[in-house]
Amino acid sequence: MSRTAESGISPDVLARYEAVIGLEVHAQLKTASKIFCSCSTRFGDAPNKNVCPICLGLPGTLPVINRRAVELAVRASLALGAEVQRRSRFARKNYFYPDLPKGYQISMYELPLATGGHLEIEFDGQTKRIGITRLHMEEDAAKALHEGFPDSDRATYVDYNRCGIPLVEIVSEPDLRSPAEAQAYLEELKQILEYIDVSDCNMEEGSLRCDANVSVRPRGDGKFGTKSEVKNLNSFRYLARALEYEIERQIGVLEQGGTITQETRLWNLATGRTEPMRSKEHAHDYRYFPEPDLLPVEISRAWEQEILAAMPELPAARRLRFAEQYGVTHYDARVLCATRELADYFEAVVKAGAPAKTASNWIQGELLRRLKEAGVEKPGERVAPGEVAALVGRVESGSITAASGKQVFARMFETGEGAEKIIAAEGLGQISDTTEIERVVREIIEREPANVAKYRAGNEGVLKFFVGQVMRATRGQANPQLVNDTVKRLLAG
Ligand code: ADP
Ligand code: ZN
Ligand code: MG
């Protein structure tokens, strides 16, 4: 591994240590308006368009909780098997920075929304349960723009559109043992939040963000080492790379007889390193205290039950069901259930009559590849599920070859036209299978002894009649030349 070369630590030494990782994930809740005001949450609007006295923290304004945000956060809690607290409370987290106009962030602290959940990751063919410590709600801060302006060397601009966007923070137990496990956890969590429609989890737009806490300890050691917290990990790849770097850095420090400082570090994409941001000595004292302007959040058992009853099928359950109900492999089930849209698409193709395994092969072999190439996200945007089923039906019945089928699929994807239309237009529906044509010709010969006699007596004109009959029986789909030849041959025999 190139990392090893860079850190200069031998694989033997690395193998003597074990990493311990816990993730803090922030997901933007899918609401139309902000958490404490009615400003829009739309992404990509002109800077400072979606602001009002409340989210700008002007004196004399009061926050009002967005009920939909609470509902979504409860849904996320339940999907993760966490215990929703009957009563939770917002708190003020005080710090001074221009991205926070009020001078504090409204978050939850000693009374979070939910505690004690878990999710399962599949790793090396095994399932591992990762504990979730707690889920809480908070508002996002504004976005400080340090670069890209003529006076960026002197000034920082601030876009308050993000300020007050509802977030849920999901804190894991330190149960993860490698960068790959951390990645698997984040992937599973993202899939769950997307399935239940709680967040769109768009990492590029910042609606899913992750901070990683990591420490190392000699393998077999009972207690955890001192951790550092790595921020700014906005992709799966960076998460894994930053953790790999940080783990080796810590091992390097320990191997040289040093000690790890508890600190916050920033992943620097340009250098591929983590760099110290602030250490605990200079750490903020956030001076948390209960938010006096908001009532405690009360969630009745009835409301919780209502939210639970409306919970869609979760990805893990759906994967299991696919394997059982459709007989696809676990691997295939995982691919097909990657998004709820794709899983729905697969089920629609099967419902329209395609055998499940064949549908799975066409979706994985033809559809996914083309979607990826074209940069299209919605599985049904180009080819409707019914059309895949129609095409599969043609190939399965042998009325077109598998090769033609792929050709037709490519055309369907390009043009959005239906399978039958393309098959007809390209003459692919022709029956060129000799045995099939022979079977039909024999049938007609048996049915028409008088005309056979006429032909054999020298009336060549009857040939046309026979060809016509075959074409009719095959609804015009037989290859005419082949029909002609077959009729001649069999009448002669
Ligand atoms: P802090 O008080 O610094 O906020 P917490 O105990 O609240 O620390 O934990 C924050 C995150 O760090 C959690 O995701 C937790 O799983 C993780 N964590 C805690 N201790 C360790 C450790 N020794 N090594 C790695 N991760 C840890
Ligand atoms: Zn506002
Ligand atoms: Mg903490």
Side-chain angles (χ1 to χ4, degrees):
M1 246 163 63
S2 62
R3 304 263 133 224
T4 312
E6 194 190 316
S7 64
I9 304 171
S10 78
D12 289 357
V13 173
L14 292 180
R16 289 210 302 269
Y17 288 89
E18 177 179 61
V20 172
I21 301 163
L23 297 187
E24 293 169 286
V25 175
H26 288 90
Q28 176 175 340
L29 297 167
K30 233 180 188 176
T31 58
S33 56
K34 292 186 181 180
I35 186 166
F36 300 123
C37 64
S38 58
C39 290
S40 169
T41 56
R42 205 167 31 241
F43 180 82
D45 275 355
N48 300 309
K49 179 167 179 279
N50 305 322
V51 293
C52 73
I54 294 174
C55 55
L56 287 177
L58 300 188
T61 58
L62 283 174
V64 178
I65 182 75
N66 180 337
R67 186 181 157 91
R68 176 80 181 149
V70 179
E71 183 186 337
L72 292 176
V74 169
R75 196 191 290 169
S77 307
L78 294 173
L80 295 167
E83 197 181 325
V84 175
Q85 303 300 300
R86 289 281 78 83
R87 168 185 272 233
S88 51
R89 186 162 64 193
F90 283 103
R92 289 188 182 180
K93 179 179 180 179
N94 300 278
Y95 68 91
F96 190 70
Y97 196 71
D99 68 358
L100 214 51
K102 293 193 293 290
Y104 58 86
Q105 177 193 27
I106 302 180
S107 180
M108 285 174 165
Y109 188 56
E110 30 39 295
L111 295 178
L113 186 76
T115 54
H118 60 87
L119 62 71
E120 270 172 8
I121 58 169
E122 241 174 73
F123 198 72
D124 274 345
Q126 293 189 320
T127 9
K128 183 171 171 184
R129 179 183 266 239
I130 307 299
I132 285 164
T133 318
R134 62 170 204 273
L135 279 97
H136 68 252
M137 302 180 69
E138 61 185 27
E139 60 176 339
D140 206 350
K143 193 174 168 66
L145 307 162
H146 300 287
E147 279 160 38
F149 296 91
D151 53 352
S152 282
D153 58 334
R154 280 169 288 131
T156 286
Y157 288 78
V158 188
D159 176 6
Y160 289 96
N161 284 352
R162 280 209 76 87
C163 206
I165 296 257
L167 305 177
V168 64
E169 178 175 338
I170 301 165
V171 182
S172 90
E173 289 289 306
D175 288 346
L176 301 157
R177 292 292 174 268
S178 68
E181 279 190 12
Q183 205 172 334
Y185 167 85
L186 187 59
E187 266 160 23
E188 189 65 30
L189 181 56
K190 175 173 187 275
Q191 209 176 59
I192 292 170
L193 296 175
E194 285 170 347
Y195 258 70
I196 62 176
D197 219 18
V198 153
S199 174
D200 65 19
C201 293
N202 188 328
M203 293 183 94
E204 278 139 52
E205 293 180 1
S207 57
L208 186 74
R209 306 197 296 264
C210 170
D211 301 333
N213 298 269
V214 55
S215 62
V216 299
R217 61 177 171 185
R219 225 167 256 285
D221 224 18
K223 59 180 200 310
F224 293 152
T226 304
K227 71 179 165 75
S228 61
E229 182 178 355
V230 186
K231 292 197 175 281
N232 199 23
L233 305 169
N234 57 0
S235 85
F236 288 101
R237 208 155 48 91
Y238 298 158
L239 169 65
R241 279 178 53 195
L243 282 172
E244 272 160 24
Y245 176 86
E246 181 60 16
I247 289 163
E248 288 186 25
R249 186 192 69 81
Q250 291 187 10
I251 293 173
V253 170
L254 296 177
E255 280 294 305
Q256 281 164 21
T259 49
I260 305 299
T261 332
Q262 179 158 343
E263 63 185 352
T264 302
R265 299 177 69 89
L266 206 61
W267 164 245
N268 184 328
L269 172 59
T271 61
R273 290 154 190 257
T274 65
E275 289 158 1
M277 197 166 116
R278 52 178 185 242
S279 69
K280 245 337 198 241
E281 287 92 312
H282 316 115
H284 298 274
D285 172 6
Y286 291 123
R287 293 176 296 123
Y288 279 101
F289 63 88
E291 166 60 64
D293 290 343
L294 285 163
L295 289 170
V297 180
E298 309 254 6
I299 294 152
S300 68
R301 188 161 291 284
W303 193 28
E304 180 185 335
Q305 287 305 318
E306 206 180 292
I307 295 169
L308 188 61
M311 183 81 71
E313 189 177 23
L314 297 175
R318 200 164 194 185
R319 289 195 292 262
L320 272 182
R321 179 168 68 78
F322 271 28
E324 276 170 20
Q325 183 177 343
Y326 300 115
V328 297
T329 64
H330 281 276
Y331 174 86
D332 289 346
R334 183 165 277 279
V335 175
L336 294 170
C337 293
T339 65
R340 195 168 148 188
E341 288 77 15
L342 187 64
D344 288 346
Y345 187 90
F346 166 77
E347 293 208 277
V349 174
V350 174
K351 206 163 180 199
K357 282 186 187 168
T358 321
S360 162
N361 290 342
W362 278 86
I363 288 173
Q364 292 190 57
E366 296 300 308
L367 181 70
L368 287 182
R369 178 167 57 84
R370 292 205 154 76
L371 288 172
K372 201 171 170 202
E373 277 167 13
V376 177
E377 265 180 40
K378 292 233 172 304
E381 194 173 307
R382 300 287 182 84
V383 182
E387 293 303 326
V388 177
L391 180 60
V392 167
R394 287 297 221 124
V395 176
E396 290 273 292
S397 74
S399 69
I400 63 168
T401 63
S404 306
K406 287 186 179 175
Q407 228 176 293
V408 173
F409 193 93
R411 294 285 298 154
M412 297 196 320
F413 194 86
E414 279 162 30
T415 63
E417 278 171 355
E420 287 306 326
K421 195 170 170 200
I422 293 167
I423 290 168
E426 308 210 344
L428 292 167
Q430 286 188 352
I431 300 170
S432 301
D433 178 340
T434 338
T435 24
E436 173 63 9
I437 290 174
E438 267 184 30
R439 192 184 60 76
V440 178
V441 173
R442 277 183 211 286
E443 240 177 58
I444 291 162
I445 287 178
E446 249 170 61
R447 215 169 60 200
E448 302 282 343
N451 281 313
V452 174
K454 266 191 208 166
Y455 178 81
R456 288 185 178 152
N459 185 347
E460 300 247 342
V462 184
L463 192 66
K464 269 211 184 104
F465 163 78
F466 277 105
V467 171
Q469 290 295 303
V470 176
M471 294 312 282
R472 227 174 99 182
T474 57
R475 274 176 273 111
Q477 289 181 344
N479 177 329
Q481 187 56 50
L482 205 58
V483 171
N484 207 56
D485 295 349
T486 312
V487 168
K488 263 194 199 162
R489 183 159 50 81
L490 294 184
L491 281 177

